[in-house]
Amino acid sequence: MEKIYVTRPALPPLAEFTKYLEQIWESKWVTNQGQFHQQFEKELAEYLGVKYVSLFANGTLALVSALQVLRITGEVITTPYTFVATTHALHWNNIKPVFADIDPVFCNLDPEKIEAAITPQTTAIMPVHVYGNPCEVDKIQEIADTYGLKVIYDACHAFGVEKNINSILNFGDLSVLSFHGTKVFTTMEGGAIICHDEKTKKRIDYLKNFGFADEVTVVQPGINAKMNEMQAALGLLQLKEIEENISKRRKAALQYRDNLQNIKGIRLMDDIEGIKHNYAYFPIFVSQREYGKSRDELYEKLKKNNIYGRRYFYPLISHFPIYRGLSSARSSNIPVAEEIAKGVICLPIFPDLKGREVEEICNIVQSDSLSKPS
Ligand SMILES: Cc1ncc(COP(=O)(O)O)c(C=O)c1O
């Protein structure tokens, strides 16, 4: 079998992209708020159902800048169960990450654990909509309002996700997207900050352009995080395909669920009522005791069969040398995250994944199970 990776980007027809490139070559306007950049910001805001979008070169720079925009300092409460960039963004801003535990079902920051982690130095909460499943946004906002904290969502997995027909990006003070090649919506590299008012949008745009407010005014030590015209042009084309791509992902997810739902020791994630999902990931959680083999044994077996799942998110960020000295990084503080990280494998999911490939993957998962269907 051909190698199957956890994801593969869906790209538009090359000929379509070439037409946009010709325009860029013609205009010689390659970056700095060009025509495609402006058009993509507008169309993206419309598609997502949000007020303001500021495009970025990638999601990490967008996270770093989001913290700067709100002048976040001191301590920020966040999750250890995410991609390292979430915590690195705090580190780059000289902010102390304070890890709180996750809920065992959806693996998002547990609101019950946030309050206990608040200190006089806490200025914000940075939750992550892990796998695109929405955090408990109302509870988190209530805590933020009570303690006067800002909320910045790492929404890098949550492109297009809605809660009761409202974009999940409309919650919190700011939300950050990634358009990396592994994401549901990709511009190869890219990202965005979503905000809800024009003044904040302006400040975000200053900060991604070295802090320039105009030709002679620099308001803050901004960074160069601008999206270029090629990325923006690709983004415009990708918008045309996104709904179809999400529905193809959904089809694969449903097939996985059909095939894997009755395997003892394998837990799946269900859809949540009222949520429009994007099917960004297909995590399964292996219980060695019930399944009969460990997560790593299954992971290696899949690899031997050319199937490259990923153990998102293992190891936990709190295990990395930069962060493991923090008192909140102790395993006893985050027992649920520790347990979940030991059992997870994200199976391949992407629009071009074929039905027979899903079947093949499911067969391998089934063949190792103690409760093989007879
Ligand atoms: C949860 C999360 N946060 C942040 C990032 C960083 O985004 P980027 O790769 O666009 O810098 C990613 C993905 O790469 C991610 O999955």
Side-chain angles (χ1 to χ4, degrees), residues 58-60 63 82-83 85-86 128 154 156-157 178 180 183 190 281:
N58 59 59
T60 305
L63 280 170
T82 175
F83 183 64
T86 315
V128 182
D154 179 335
C156 287
H157 296 181
S178 164
H180 182 252
K183 300 295 185 278
Y281 298 86

Side-chain angles (χ1 to χ4, degrees), residues 221-241:
I223 200 159
N224 180 4
K226 301 186 298 292
M227 176 177 274
N228 69 45
E229 282 291 272
M230 285 202 289
Q231 289 170 290
L234 180 56
L236 282 167
L237 281 173
Q238 295 288 52
L239 276 180
K240 298 183 185 176
E241 312 276 338

Side-chain angles (χ1 to χ4, degrees), residues 299-340:
Y299 171 76
E300 292 300 333
K301 177 153 187 199
L302 287 164
K303 248 174 43 181
K304 270 199 197 105
N305 285 275
N306 274 341
I307 292 146
Y308 291 77
R310 291 294 299 267
R311 290 166 290 186
Y312 296 140
F313 289 102
Y314 163 87
L316 290 178
I317 295 181
S318 45
H319 285 222
F320 293 126
I322 346 159
Y323 303 116
R324 68 184 172 207
L326 297 167
S327 60
S328 65
R330 284 193 319 264
S331 298
S332 56
N333 183 51
I334 43 176
V336 178
E338 293 283 354
E339 198 52 36
I340 294 277

